[in-house]
Amino acid sequence: MATHQAPAATRAPPPGAPALARWDHRFGRLENLLNLVAALSIFGIMVLGVVQIAARGISGALHDVWPSVQPFAIHGYIDWIEFIAVLYAVLGVAYCQRVGGHIRMDIVIGLLRGRALWIAEAFAVLLALAITLVLVEATFENFWRAFTKGDSSMDIRLPQWPSKLIVPVALATLALRLALQLWGYGRLIADPSRAPLAVPVILTTEQIAQAEIEEALGREAAARAAAPGKG
């Protein structure tokens, strides 16, 4: 039974590679960038939280000793957290779709092989694409209302339209990734003997174990080669 999905290849395609492979690589660079921004936003929230706790704790302790020292906290901390949270909540969604990282049930689809498997995968992607396009329109309208009416946060009146714009942008990126995957599944439906491109490939438990063994052996070999005085 299939239990995992291997990431699609991210290496630059060789000269003369199919157009789908080239588009997959180019678009993957954008997804990597957005995912990096999402990761950095998580780190930023962690730093902001540490500063907030340290500032409140240290200034509170100093205030107890010297009442002239006023307690300090980051102004609008909650508003900033809510603003930044949108980044890591949605910017990595297309990257996760590319590498097959979303939680899914493979109980039934894992039993399929060949053209039947690719048809089932294409149907799921087509359904996801239709839903995503509806969400893109709805979230863009939400952004537009915030932009035109001047929506802002409750505490420090932080404008809300930039964070609300991020959502349709991330969903549009996901829609493009789904379109590439639909293209990839379409070529596999037409000819199941082709090598998969721009789609995550389902691995069996045995294949996962073999890949982990090869990865571990590769790390050990690299460590032995890098060790001084050995070779």
Side-chain angles (χ1 to χ4, degrees), residues 107-220:
I107 295 176
V108 175
I109 202 169
L111 301 176
L112 302 177
R113 294 292 183 271
R115 184 174 282 110
L117 171 62
W118 305 129
I119 291 175
E121 293 279 18
F123 176 77
V125 169
L126 181 61
L127 182 61
L129 178 58
I131 295 173
T132 302
L133 291 176
V134 172
L135 291 175
V136 169
E137 181 181 4
T139 54
F140 183 82
E141 290 177 356
N142 188 39
F143 146 72
W144 189 249
R145 285 194 299 271
F147 180 75
T148 55
K149 296 181 179 180
D151 189 15
S152 60
S153 61
M154 295 295 293
D155 189 8
I156 60 174
R157 300 297 179 184
L158 191 67
Q160 293 293 296
W161 67 263
S163 62
K164 292 185 177 181
L165 176 60
I166 291 171
V167 179
V169 168
L171 289 174
T173 307
L174 173 61
L176 291 174
R177 168 50 57 185
L178 290 170
L180 283 175
Q181 290 189 343
L182 192 60
W183 181 2
Y185 287 127
R187 64 187 292 277
L188 291 172
I189 292 171
D191 184 1
S193 64
R194 290 178 173 178
L197 290 177
V199 297
V201 179
I202 298 176
L203 296 182
T204 63
T205 305
E206 292 77 10
Q207 289 172 324
I208 296 171
Q210 183 63 31
E212 291 177 349
I213 291 171
E214 292 176 354
E215 182 181 0
L217 292 176
R219 287 197 300 265
E220 292 178 3

Side-chain angles (χ1 to χ4, degrees), residues 1-2 102-110 121 202:
M1 180 181 296
H102 293 297
I103 297 174
R104 50 179 278 167
M105 295 297 293
D106 288 331
I107 295 176
V108 175
I109 202 169
E121 293 279 18
I202 298 176

